[in-house]
Each structure stands twice: as structure tokens, then as C-alpha cells.
Amino acid sequence: MFDKISLEKLKEDESKVVFEKDKSYLLAYPEFLQYFKDIDVITRHHLVIGIHFTYGWMPTIFNFRKDETEFDNVVAILNKVKQGSWLTAEELDLLRTCFNNSLVGVSKLLHFINPENYAIWDSRVYRYIKGKDAWQHQIHDYDTYLAYLQFCKGIISQPAFQPLHQSMMNKVGYEITALRSLELIMFKNGTASRADNIIDSNA
């Protein structure tokens, strides 16, 4: 799936990245990260606030899809993420079914909690990687998302990616993880389509 994405392609595409109308987007991002960074242990309170500000970056209003009996399990999973654990497909499934049935929304929340381990995943990133639009079952496939994370880890571990990372930090104007730099390069070069709002939210 990822064989077409080379460091040379990423270098070329990074040079095209500009932020002209992204002021609110760039302003919100470090604040979302800081919210979870300041928390020692995630509780239901933080879960409710965190998923709602995450959906400020989504095309639909948030609605819990599970009753509160699952909240303790969800909170436990999110604390595992904060502590650096990798999630299983089964854990991702619980989060997705609780959070608007959207793996895209889940990926954003996971990134805000642990930006070193989890990259944001959406239809624009998928389009960049595959060169075509995603069907809903593709964008919400857990194995694809987990493979994407491994691919990203492989790219950012290469010394040749570090100049791209530094350039992206210069462009956004503050420190971000290498994982965020890579995802932003793909996102900004992935071109949006009319179907993105439907596919990314699945709501």
C-alpha cells in the first residue's frame, strides 16, 4: 500500500506545503496537545471534553454512540495510550463504536493524547498514499490504520526525514513531532474532495 511513498516524493511534496488560511487550525493544535499533556490520569471528565474539542476538527457534531457503561473501558484504553501503549484492533473497535463510529475521529483524539505514537488518519492522507479516493470501509479499517502507523514510524526513523521535519516546524511556527510533520505533508498534498466530509465522519 505504501510502496509509492518515497523520501524523494515526500521531499518534493514538503516543498509545496504552505499555510495561508490555516490560522485557527494552527492556533488550536498546540492547545489540544497541552490539554492532555497537563493531565496525569485521564478521567471521564477529560474524555468528554477531549472528544468534543476533537470534533471541532470534524465535519459533524459529536454524538456518543454507546451508553455510559462503556466509559470506564474507554477511559482505561485512553490512559494506556497516554502511557505509550499500542492499541489492538479490538481496542480501536471499542473507541470507534463509542466515538461517532469514526476511526478518523479516534485517530485525532489518540494523536492529541500521544502525538509521538499516533498519527492522524483521514481520507486526504489515504488519497495521498493510494492515489485514489477511499470507500468508507477502507478509511475505517483497523488493519489499514495500524499499517499506516508502522509505515509512518519507518519513514520518520530515517535520518533523511529530519530536514523535512525541521522545515515543517519552521512553517507552522512551533515544535511538532516528526509524526505530525509527515502526516501534514501528506494531508496538505492529498487534495480534498466533496466526499471527504461523509467518508471521514461516517455520520
Side-chain angles (χ1 to χ4, degrees):
M1 177 176 180
F2 307 101
D3 54 347
K4 296 180 181 178
I5 311 302
S6 65
L7 275 169
E8 283 303 311
K9 175 174 173 53
L10 289 166
K11 182 178 179 180
E12 177 184 346
D13 290 337
E14 190 281 328
S15 68
K16 302 173 188 174
V17 173
V18 293
F19 295 95
E20 295 176 345
K21 301 178 180 179
D22 306 90
K23 289 184 179 179
S24 293
Y25 180 73
L26 295 179
L27 180 64
Y29 177 78
E31 302 299 332
F32 293 172
L33 294 187
Q34 192 64 44
Y35 176 79
F36 282 109
K37 187 175 181 181
D38 290 342
I39 296 168
D40 291 327
V41 178
I42 297 170
T43 67
R44 287 187 178 204
H45 169 76
H46 305 119
L47 161 63
V48 173
I49 292 174
I51 192 61
H52 278 85
F53 69 60
T54 296
Y55 265 73
W57 278 15
M58 297 289 285
T60 55
I61 295 173
F62 178 74
N63 179 38
F64 281 110
R65 299 297 180 93
K66 292 258 186 188
D67 62 41
E68 292 187 25
T69 60
E70 291 288 1
F71 278 21
D72 289 344
N73 291 331
V74 169
V75 166
I77 291 171
L78 297 184
N79 277 295
K80 285 179 60 177
V81 170
K82 184 171 176 61
Q83 294 160 11
S85 295
W86 289 93
L87 299 186
T88 65
E90 290 75 17
E91 290 168 325
L92 289 171
D93 182 62
L94 176 58
L95 296 182
R96 178 190 165 187
T97 55
C98 187
F99 297 152
N100 252 25
N101 208 29
S102 171
L103 185 57
V104 173
V106 168
S107 76
K108 291 179 180 182
L109 180 62
L110 296 181
H111 178 77
F112 295 145
I113 294 171
N114 189 331
E116 295 284 351
N117 282 0
Y118 291 90
I120 293 173
W121 170 247
D122 63 16
S123 57
R124 286 179 63 163
V125 172
Y126 183 96
R127 187 177 301 108
Y128 179 84
I129 292 169
K130 291 290 288 183
K132 62 182 181 181
D133 290 341
W135 294 96
Q136 284 193 5
H137 74 276
Q138 295 169 317
I139 203 68
H140 295 294
D141 180 74
Y142 309 120
D143 290 335
T144 300
Y145 174 62
L146 292 171
Y148 161 69
L149 294 180
Q150 291 302 318
F151 160 75
C152 289
K153 283 289 188 179
I155 290 290
I156 66 174
S157 68
Q158 299 181 49
F161 183 76
Q162 294 314 301
L164 306 187
H165 176 38
Q166 185 60 55
S167 178
M168 288 298 295
M169 288 197 291
N170 292 341
K171 289 179 180 181
V172 300
Y174 47 75
E175 187 173 343
I176 56 178
T177 64
L179 209 55
R180 173 62 170 165
S181 290
L182 175 57
E183 175 257 316
L184 269 178
I185 294 170
M186 295 188 286
F187 176 82
K188 294 290 283 184
N189 284 277
T191 64
S193 78
R194 284 183 170 183
D196 284 353
N197 285 359
I198 297 172
I199 293 171
D200 287 351
S201 65
N202 198 27

